[in-house]
Amino acid sequence: MVDSSKDVNGNFPGDKKIIVVFVLGGPGSGKGTQCTRIVENFGFTHLSAGDLLRAEIKSGSENGTMISNMIKEGKIVPSEVTINLLQKAMLESGNDKFLIDGFPRNEENRAAFENVTKIEPEFVLFFDCPEEEMEQRLLSRNQGRDDDNIQTIRKRFRVFVESSLPVVEYYDMKGKVQKVDALKPIDEVFESVKAIFAPLNRAASDDNKLHYIQGILFVRAAEARFECSRISLIRWMISF
Ligand SMILES: Nc1ncnc2c1ncn2[C@@H]1O[C@H](COP(=O)(O)OP(=O)(O)OP(=O)(O)O)[C@@H](O)[C@H]1O
Ligand SMILES: Nc1ccn([C@H]2C[C@H](O)[C@@H](COP(=O)(O)O)O2)c(=O)n1
């Protein structure tokens, strides 16, 4: 088990527990839509690997053309590029709770992230949706994405089945997958999502209570030590 309290490549403070939830599901299964709601309700920072790669293309970086060609082909960009962008965004956010959406997309992504960051996900949120539904959603998404055309959509589906589903299976074997029926309407999907995230909030609140009690005990111990010193001083003065 990888210790998730360690830093992301030496940059996060060592005692900071970083919570990462990987959000996976086919193209158009509703990952981004649900992530927006999780952010509003549970204080996570949403990092979409696809959005970060598209921003990199727009920024005119030297990798831009390569990334753009791979996305048009529905292929997966080399892990090194994507992990660099994710790490940078994690550090810049100042948060310690992350929804990493659309990542890891293949075994290479998964192993490289774990090697570089030493972070294991808290769990994997998996949106399960039939291809016909995802295809309809993507074709009517209307966000001007280059890859929302039927040829690229079919390629993305193939890559999802061949490369991304094995990653979900890997985490499933470790008991880390929380599967959600993504065919339902958006509000109903979110009801299922909320039930998955609620225990995390309870755990955080228990942690806060524990820190509060530890604080009180620390003050009481300091007071007791002070009282002992006072009594010793009085005894010493009386002895004269
Ligand atoms: N449960 C749902 N029912 C109907 N439409 C939905 C549902 N969830 C999302 N949508 C719509 O489907 C489209 C795709 O959703 P979204 O962008 O969230 O998917 P995604 O999994 O993030 O896709 P991608 O992997 O391609 O980025 C959007 O237009 C969104 O409004
Ligand atoms: N880990 C990732 C995530 C995304 N990409 C590329 C390939 C995808 O088809 C494209 C769009 O991603 P989406 O917004 O649908 O999650 O981005 C990748 O190469 N590696």
Side-chain angles (χ1 to χ4, degrees):
M1 163 84 179
V2 178
D3 181 358
S4 63
S5 69
K6 292 279 154 53
D7 55 282
V8 171
N9 222 8
N11 292 313
F12 275 120
D15 60 349
K16 205 172 179 187
K17 160 109 170 130
I18 304 297
I19 294 181
V20 163
V21 173
F22 287 146
V23 183
L24 297 176
S29 56
K31 302 181 293 296
T33 305
Q34 295 297 326
C35 281
T36 304
R37 294 183 165 214
I38 300 167
V39 166
E40 288 161 5
N41 288 269
F42 296 97
F44 276 73
T45 292
H46 173 211
L47 299 176
S48 153
D51 284 351
L52 290 170
L53 290 167
R54 284 183 285 275
E56 189 67 0
I57 299 171
K58 271 205 185 139
S59 77
S61 95
E62 55 178 342
N63 283 324
T65 312
M66 177 273 289
I67 298 172
S68 171
N69 289 335
M70 297 203 79
I71 288 184
K72 275 185 208 138
E73 283 301 306
K75 290 183 181 157
I76 297 172
V77 173
S79 302
E80 189 196 333
V81 173
T82 316
I83 290 171
N84 261 332
L85 295 172
L86 283 170
Q87 273 189 297
K88 200 161 153 267
M90 286 169 84
L91 291 165
E92 280 171 5
S93 75
N95 201 350
D96 54 4
K97 301 198 291 185
F98 302 96
L99 296 170
I100 304 197
D101 164 7
F103 185 97
R105 277 293 228 280
N106 59 11
E107 175 54 24
E108 191 214 356
N109 271 184
R110 185 199 66 71
F113 184 84
E114 207 168 291
N115 282 337
V116 172
T117 67
K118 312 292 180 216
I119 292 174
E120 255 227 359
E122 198 74 9
F123 59 85
V124 173
L125 184 63
F126 173 55
F127 291 105
D128 189 27
C129 195
E131 259 185 30
E132 311 79 66
E133 172 70 14
M134 296 195 287
E135 188 178 301
Q136 284 314 308
R137 289 183 189 176
L138 292 175
L139 289 173
S140 45
R141 178 154 59 178
N142 258 331
Q143 285 177 358
R145 273 177 57 165
D146 279 353
D147 55 351
D148 279 350
N149 60 78
I150 193 64
Q151 288 81 13
T152 311
I153 287 171
R154 296 259 155 89
K155 288 179 190 162
R156 289 158 71 196
F157 285 161
R158 200 169 54 244
V159 170
F160 172 68
V161 171
E162 287 171 3
S163 304
S164 310
L165 275 182
V167 175
V168 178
E169 279 154 18
Y170 168 88
Y171 284 117
D172 201 21
M173 298 277 282
K174 299 182 105 189
K176 287 207 161 210
V177 173
Q178 297 278 6
K179 183 160 126 178
V180 171
D181 176 5
L183 182 58
K184 292 188 286 190
I186 294 174
D187 288 346
E188 285 181 37
V189 177
F190 190 59
E191 285 305 310
S192 313
V193 168
K194 266 201 296 199
I196 293 168
F197 278 81
L200 279 188
N201 266 5
R202 275 200 293 277
S205 138
D206 287 350
D207 255 13
N208 286 343
K209 278 185 205 148
L210 187 66
H211 283 133
Y212 177 70
I213 291 166
Q214 280 172 335
I216 289 179
L217 290 176
F218 181 81
V219 171
R220 292 279 182 274
E223 282 170 359
R225 274 197 303 274
F226 176 74
E227 194 53 26
C228 285
S229 309
R230 209 171 63 88
I231 291 168
S232 301
L233 181 66
I234 292 169
R235 277 202 183 129
W236 178 75
M237 287 166 75
I238 291 170
S239 72
F240 279 103

